[in-house]
Amino acid sequence: MQHEDIIQGLMQPVAQISPKYFYDQLGSKLFEAITNQPEYYPTRTERILLEQRAEDIKRAIGTTHTVIEPGAGNGEKAQILCDILKPQCFVGVDISAEILQEGVARLRHADPNLDARAVIADLTSRVQLPDEIPRERRLVFYPGSSIGNFDPPQALEWLRQARAWIDSSGGLLIGIDLPKEVDVLEAAYDDADGITARFNRNILSHVNRLIGSDFDPSEWSHQAFFNPVASRIEMHLQADTSQSVHWAGGGRDFVCGERIHTENSYKYPLQVFAGMLRQAGFARVQSWTDERGWYALLYAQP
């Protein structure tokens, strides 16, 4: 299925690779490095917001039995939230097995009383949670503005899945990146140290292993820019030379300057995203933003 998914994307009129294929072992570590770059404000801003508004968030959410974090990665943000809410159970969901298992192990070490579990799953498909996790008092925690990687119809469908994970006693705590100055946005996805460029090119190495292709990542350049019509950052890889890429049973010729679209990151105005939450079945929505109005955390309940 992975093989077919990747080849189907590469053969589109504008070639594309899903951003879920960024996250092999090296890609996951490179993304961690990106979040520590001075230009990359979302992680830092969200962490400060979580810490500064901890009491407000705790009061809004109340008692939580289980925190479910899709795209949990290394569990760093989950640690902050678990310190605030003191849940009995944590379920991390991620496609990157090794990084997720390391993060869950750290959570167990930090709190031996926490029932911390790892679910290896692709968030672009339906995710089956462990049957034994009680439905009462669940909190779905989706930080990092990761919802922005989905196109709006996909994002709405994902929000509906999150709604299906909880009952009337549960809720969703989600982070979104807000629109802001273009130079700030573009710098966040094209840092001066070139970490994001390495991260973007590494997807080709991962694809080579998955489908047996012969991409040469050194012949591709990182491109990141804001698309104002769609209100999104776009990341692409641009061919530095005309070249032929092969894989078992096929291949494609790329001309110099041709691009492979690897990621979108949508920037939603607060009221627009609150409306999407209501479309997805969440009746009550409250939010907190940082002092610059760059980032928001929203808590949504049925």
Side-chain angles (χ1 to χ4, degrees):
M1 185 63 182
Q2 270 188 345
H3 189 279
E4 294 172 0
D5 177 51
I6 293 168
I7 292 173
Q8 184 179 14
L10 289 172
M11 294 305 294
Q12 295 298 310
V14 176
Q16 55 189 276
I17 302 173
S18 169
K20 67 187 178 185
Y21 297 114
F22 280 132
Y23 300 101
D24 61 354
Q25 185 176 10
L26 177 58
S28 296
K29 292 186 182 301
L30 286 171
F31 183 72
E32 283 188 46
I34 289 169
T35 64
N36 292 317
Q37 294 304 300
E39 299 95 334
Y40 195 79
Y41 61 85
T43 301
R44 182 172 56 253
T45 305
E46 184 177 62
R47 184 186 302 116
I48 292 170
L49 191 54
L50 270 172
E51 292 170 347
Q52 289 182 341
R53 304 307 295 266
E55 288 304 315
D56 293 336
I57 292 168
K58 183 177 180 180
R59 187 162 44 249
I61 296 172
T63 303
T64 296
H65 180 277
T66 303
V67 171
I68 301 163
E69 184 182 0
N74 65 8
E76 182 179 346
K77 293 172 185 174
Q79 181 67 69
I80 297 172
L81 190 67
C82 287
D83 287 345
I84 294 169
L85 299 179
K86 308 296 184 186
Q88 297 174 44
C89 181
F90 171 80
V91 180
V93 184
D94 207 293
I95 196 171
S96 183
E98 186 171 349
I99 297 296
L100 176 61
Q101 287 164 346
E102 289 174 0
V104 166
R106 278 195 293 272
L107 286 169
R108 290 185 187 130
H109 179 75
D111 182 0
N113 294 318
L114 180 66
D115 177 10
R117 309 182 184 205
V119 174
I120 314 304
D122 178 356
L123 295 182
T124 63
S125 304
R126 286 282 168 183
V127 176
Q128 183 65 42
L129 296 174
D131 291 337
E132 65 271 22
I133 301 298
R135 282 190 60 81
E136 297 79 18
R137 307 305 304 174
R138 287 180 176 179
L139 176 73
V140 179
F141 178 45
Y142 199 35
S145 65
S146 298
I147 192 71
N149 295 144
F150 296 104
D151 289 340
Q154 296 170 322
L156 182 57
E157 184 60 27
W158 190 94
L159 292 172
R160 286 176 173 145
Q161 176 176 242
R163 171 63 186 88
W165 282 345
I166 64 174
D167 64 11
S168 60
S169 66
L172 167 68
L173 181 65
I174 189 168
I176 63 167
D177 197 15
L178 302 173
K180 59 186 65 63
E181 294 84 354
V182 172
D183 57 342
V184 173
L185 286 168
E186 293 186 342
Y189 293 83
D190 193 9
D191 59 278
D193 286 345
I195 306 297
T196 310
R198 287 181 60 199
F199 173 74
N200 199 9
R201 283 194 293 268
N202 182 66
I203 202 171
L204 297 179
S205 298
H206 191 201
V207 163
N208 282 345
R209 292 193 301 276
L210 292 172
I211 69 169
S213 53
D214 57 359
F215 281 102
D216 181 349
S218 68
E219 293 188 353
W220 294 80
S221 297
H222 170 66
Q223 304 288 324
F225 55 87
F226 184 66
N227 178 336
V229 175
S231 190
R232 70 189 188 195
I233 284 283
E234 296 183 11
M235 290 206 329
H236 300 255
L237 289 165
Q238 182 170 293
D240 294 334
T241 61
S242 294
Q243 56 194 275
S244 295
V245 177
H246 311 90
W247 51 80
R252 177 169 179 163
D253 294 331
F254 292 91
V255 300
C256 183
E258 192 170 357
R259 291 173 174 173
I260 301 174
H261 193 165
T262 55
E263 185 178 52
N264 293 320
S265 183
Y266 285 82
K267 312 302 174 184
Y268 290 103
L270 189 57
Q271 292 309 312
V272 169
F273 194 78
M276 289 176 64
L277 286 166
R278 294 186 180 96
Q279 279 185 270
F282 294 94
R284 295 168 289 169
V285 180
Q286 55 186 303
S287 62
W288 304 272
T289 60
D290 65 290
E291 59 186 16
R292 294 177 295 191
W294 281 11
Y295 198 90
L297 283 168
L298 297 92
Y299 178 55
Q301 299 167 274

